[in-house]
Each structure stands twice: as C-alpha cells, then as structure tokens.
Amino acid sequence: MILALEYHRSPARFMAARGLTATRAGGKMSGMIAGNVSPMRLVNRHAPELPGDGWTRVTPRLSGICGSDLGMLTGRSSPYLSPMTSMPFVPGHEVVGETQDDVPGVPKGSRVVIDPVLSCAARGTTECRWCASGQQSRCDHITTGRISAGLQTGFCADTGGGWSRQFVAHVSQLHVVPDALPDERAVLAEPLACAVHSVRRVKVASGSTAVIIGAGTVGLLTLLALRQLTDVGAVYVVAKHGHQQEKAKALGATAIIEPRKAVRALRRVTTARMHSPERGDDFLLGGVDLAFECTGGAGGLDTALRLVQAGGTVVVSGMPSGNVDLTPLWYRELQLVGAYASGADGADFADAIRLAESAPLDGYVGTTYPLARWREALTHAADAGRLGTVKVAFDPAR
C-alpha cells in the first residue's frame, strides 16, 4: 500500500467549489475549498501495477502543484476534459523521481523527469498520425489502449500520479536528469518544456515585440524560453506582484507593467491609439506583434486580444476558463493559437533540461510539503503570487 492524494469526481462538490471560488476576489481557492468541499482524499491505496513491457515504477522526489490542478479543484476546469480522465485518479504531472525498474535505455535507480502525456507508445496502440510525426501532445488515442482514459499522468486511474509515493510511467515518458541538476530545478522541467513548446508554436520574427500576460510559473518560463530560443525584440511582462516583477527583470523583460496599466503603457511604447468602448476595457489600434496569455483566466485572454496589432498572434498557454469577448479576434484578423504540453519528439524537454541547468531559477520552488499537509499546500499554491512564491511542490517521501 502507498500513501496518495486521490481526486474523486463529485458534481455536488464541484458546484460547491465553483460557487465558493466565485465569491472570492480573483476566484482563488480558500481554506474551505481545500477542506470541507474538496474532492481530494489522503488515502492508503494499492500501488499501481505495471501495465506491460517498457513500464517502470517511479518514486517521486518532488511533485509540483500546477495551475491546471488548482483549476480542477476550484471548479474552473472545462467539462470538455472530463472524457479524458478516469476516476479516481492521483494528480501530479510535474515530477522528478527515481525509477524502480529497468527499462530500455533507463536503468533502475535513474533520476528522471516525465513527459506526462500518455500517448500511443504508452497505450500500446498503433501510432496515430500525430505520434508518428513526433507531436505526442496531439495524440488521438488518449482514451483507448491498455490503460484507462487519461490525457496525462496525473489524470489516469491506472498510472497514478506524482501526488503519491509511487506511480508508473512508460519509457517513452522518461527523461534522465543530469547529476548536477538539483531536484528543485528539475521539477520545473515539465512546465519549462511546455513554455518552450508554446514559443515554438508560432513564428517569432527577429526583432518582433511581445507581451506576456501573467508572471507566475508559466509566464516567467515563457519569458525565459523567448529570450533563450528566439531573436525576439522587446518583451513586456504584465506582472502583479513585486517578486514576480523582480524575477521577470532577471530573465530579460524589457519592461514590467502593472495589470491595470497594461493598455496605456503599451500605447506609449508602441505609439498605438487607445480607444474606450461603451462597455468593457480599453483597447489598442496598433500594439505588439505577439501576446502570450499565461494566466488561464478570462481576464488575461481578454487583455491579450486588446493589446495585439492587426494581423498579430495570441498564444494561449494557460488552461483557459471563463467567457471572453472575441470581437478583436474577428475585427483585427488575429491568430489565436493554443499551446498544450510539449512536443517536438522530446526536443522541447531536452531544451528545457538544458535551460533549467543554466537559467537563474534558484528559489522558484519556494516551499515543499509532505502529503499529510495537503490542505496547507494547496491553499499556499492557490495564493502563491501574493505570498511571494513561484512554485509549491509536494515532497512525498516526507
């Protein structure tokens, strides 16, 4: 038996969580949501069985708490994703751990990070066209095969997840971590690979201008990827909290903008024209070439659409929620691009690990918690920005 945090779908608890978060400023999780109406349970459960050849047991060393996890717990996740999960599942897809079995190319005892996508290789199905082309994040078979439905590790009942003392992973998901890379940096490899992927989803012309909406984990790592992997010009970061602003400067932001001043600030630096509609927020005619929406909130996407010049591109990196006025998308003939997980047949992860070794990411994992303190951990993660933290993680062995 292993200790694990299990998620149980309950329509009543889902609606209660959604109602409670709607009454909080910014829709943040409260102690109540991590408590009385939470769908999470700390349990002793049977360790997941190896589904077949090429699978290994993994013992997590650190497992991050992601914004998509919080969206699920606060009732902000879209019901669109419900067929791509299986219950009850153990969350946790940002993991650095140690393998417990020999698999091809990865001997027992290897320290690894995982690509959480459960693609054709893991499921033992004939390769779909996306997996065959190295774009596993677009896999068409994530509800079929030898394991139950689950778009990723952390959403599949059969594999377990990182919020436990053991789960299983397929060799296709494993990336060995260099000895010199500490766990506190290695656990950032998965979100960093997602940031690398989002930057590669669009053509970033040399000298082009960009704005990043949000300076949490996703926003900061997107800034890092933009600076290190492209020839982008000015990059403006919309950051709410002081520690986020400092970290954005350290990663090469051209300027930091407070959320309520975003439209006016970009009007000045891009010489755009600002207009005020009868209802709703101001917008620009003109603006930047690219916007990366990294908050996952309706407000962030709405702002991004209002800051991009005609013919520009908005990349949705945060898991979207809420209703958005798409008029700018139509009127300004913008491109709206989604960026989910990582791709490039492992190249995104390879670059993420390399960047995690060299970039100034010390202190990004501010606090770790044992599984027994899960209520405190989730509440901290939901209010990480205000509390001066970038990433909160579980240390399941504690």
Side-chain angles (χ1 to χ4, degrees), residues 191-201 204 212 217-232 235 251-252 292 317 348 351-352 354-356 359 361:
L192 183 48
C194 294
V196 169
H197 181 62
S198 69
V199 168
R200 288 178 169 156
R201 284 284 289 126
V204 181
I212 295 173
T217 304
V218 177
L220 290 170
L221 297 182
T222 299
L223 171 60
L224 172 62
L226 269 174
R227 280 297 185 214
Q228 295 298 317
L229 302 178
T230 77
D231 291 324
V232 71
V235 182
L251 293 177
F292 291 83
S317 295
D348 292 342
D351 284 335
R354 177 177 59 81
L355 291 175
L361 301 179

Side-chain angles (χ1 to χ4, degrees), residues 126-184:
T126 301
E127 279 192 320
C128 68
R129 62 177 181 136
W130 298 116
C131 289
S133 66
Q135 300 182 78
Q136 290 87 349
S137 64
R138 300 182 183 182
C139 179
D140 287 331
H141 292 166
I142 57 172
T143 59
T144 62
R146 60 187 168 190
I147 55 175
S148 55
L151 69 165
Q152 293 186 353
T153 297
F155 297 95
C156 175
D158 291 342
T159 63
W163 296 4
S164 70
R165 289 187 173 166
Q166 190 176 100
F167 66 98
V168 296
H170 188 258
V171 64
S172 63
Q173 300 178 272
L174 305 179
H175 298 270
V176 177
V177 177
D179 291 341
L181 185 64
D183 289 344
E184 290 77 11

Side-chain angles (χ1 to χ4, degrees), residues 63-64 66 68-69 91-95 114 116 152-155 161-163 190:
S63 185
C66 176
S68 62
D69 299 321
H93 59 275
E94 301 177 353
V95 186
I114 66 161
Q152 293 186 353
T153 297
F155 297 95
W163 296 4
E190 194 278 335

Side-chain angles (χ1 to χ4, degrees), residues 27 65 70 87 93 104 106 108 127 205 224 238 244 291 326 397:
I65 301 173
L70 298 176
M87 298 290 162
H93 59 275
V106 185
K108 176 182 177 180
E127 279 192 320
L224 172 62
V238 178
Q244 296 174 338
L326 295 178

